[in-house]
Amino acid sequence: MADRPVLTRRRAERFGRTGEAIAALWLIVSGHRIRAARVKTPVGEIDLIASRGRSLVFVEVKSRASVLERDLAFAAVNRSRISAAAAFWIGTHPRYAGWDMRFDVIGLAPMRLPRHVKGAFDATESRGRRWL
């Protein structure tokens, strides 16, 4: 019985990684270049960082078991965490500092095309700089 939570976590981790791989393929097919995946910073994690032209796209991926759950998951996106992680990442990659930035969410559900919400939210730094 003690192994059940470990198995559940492993399945969830595999499900999430599979979703991120599908989202990365979706972005590549739509003309984006994947710059980084599963980026961990001291202030949060970014699922995917992509670019197209001179625009950076910070992507949150939500994989769910049903379309309804997928659509409800959009409300669960932690915008402040993602924007803080993006600001940290830009600080460590100054060559991208002048690029346009966008925050997208890609939702996945079995047997459905990904739902890609471009510019899903605006994020501002605490000093008031507008990201989008």
Side-chain angles (χ1 to χ4, degrees):
M1 282 282 200
D3 291 334
R4 188 168 300 269
V6 172
L7 290 175
T8 302
R9 276 195 307 267
R10 286 183 186 158
R11 282 189 195 120
E13 176 73 16
R14 194 171 351 150
F15 189 64
R17 284 183 185 264
T18 301
E20 290 168 4
I22 292 167
L25 286 172
W26 182 261
L27 289 166
I28 290 167
V29 167
S30 66
H32 293 78
R33 177 177 173 194
I34 304 301
R35 298 283 177 171
R38 301 184 65 87
V39 175
K40 293 183 185 339
T41 74
V43 293
E45 183 178 318
I46 303 167
D47 293 333
L48 296 169
I49 301 172
S51 66
R52 187 170 183 186
R54 287 189 48 83
S55 294
L56 276 179
V57 183
F58 296 93
V59 182
E60 178 72 6
V61 179
K62 294 293 185 184
S63 299
R64 296 296 187 262
S66 73
V67 173
L68 177 60
E69 289 175 15
R70 177 199 68 188
D71 293 345
L72 292 173
F74 284 104
V77 173
N78 188 328
R79 298 169 182 193
S80 61
R81 179 190 55 80
I82 296 167
S83 60
F88 184 91
W89 189 84
I90 290 294
T92 61
H93 296 81
R95 69 182 172 270
Y96 298 111
W99 289 34
D100 294 328
M101 290 178 247
R102 188 177 79 212
F103 294 88
D104 291 4
V105 178
I106 297 179
L108 302 164
M111 306 304 291
R112 301 280 190 219
L113 288 173
R115 180 172 173 212
H116 184 180
V117 180
K118 298 176 183 176
F121 62 92
D122 292 341
T124 56
E125 288 183 291
S126 59
R127 291 184 292 280
R129 179 172 162 230
R130 186 164 170 81
W131 281 90
L132 299 173

